[in-house]
Amino acid sequence: DGVNGYCIDPNDSESVYKKLKFITDKKNIKKVSEIKNNNLIFTKNITWSQVAKKVEEFYVKTYLKSI
């Protein structure tokens, strides 16, 4: 949390509101920029094909658990 994004419960509108307010507040620009840069570094060597494969593996694994 706070390294390359934030973990928030999408069903908790108050938490979503507070985090959106935090990331849009200019006084937090340093932290938001740090997160942005962490993501740029992380994704530098990742292709869309790799992302698609991971997503597909996740859905197949999840589906197989449900049957």
Side-chain angles (χ1 to χ4, degrees):
D1 197 34
V3 175
N4 66 348
Y6 293 103
C7 296
I8 50 176
D9 180 353
N11 297 314
D12 182 353
S13 59
E14 184 66 22
S15 291
V16 173
Y17 168 77
K18 286 179 180 178
K19 202 51 72 176
L20 285 171
K21 188 173 178 179
F22 175 85
I23 63 174
T24 57
D25 190 331
K26 291 183 192 263
K27 71 180 179 186
N28 300 317
I29 190 80
K30 185 175 179 182
K31 181 62 178 172
V32 174
S33 292
E34 181 183 310
I35 291 171
K36 175 188 160 192
N37 290 331
N38 287 342
N39 282 312
L40 290 172
I41 292 166
F42 178 76
T43 60
K44 187 175 184 178
N45 297 313
I46 298 176
T47 66
W48 279 111
S49 294
Q50 291 170 310
V51 172
K53 183 175 178 165
K54 291 281 189 184
V55 169
E56 179 183 28
E57 288 170 357
F58 170 79
Y59 280 108
V60 168
K61 188 169 124 179
T62 303
Y63 172 74
L64 292 175
K65 283 182 180 179
S66 72
I67 57 173

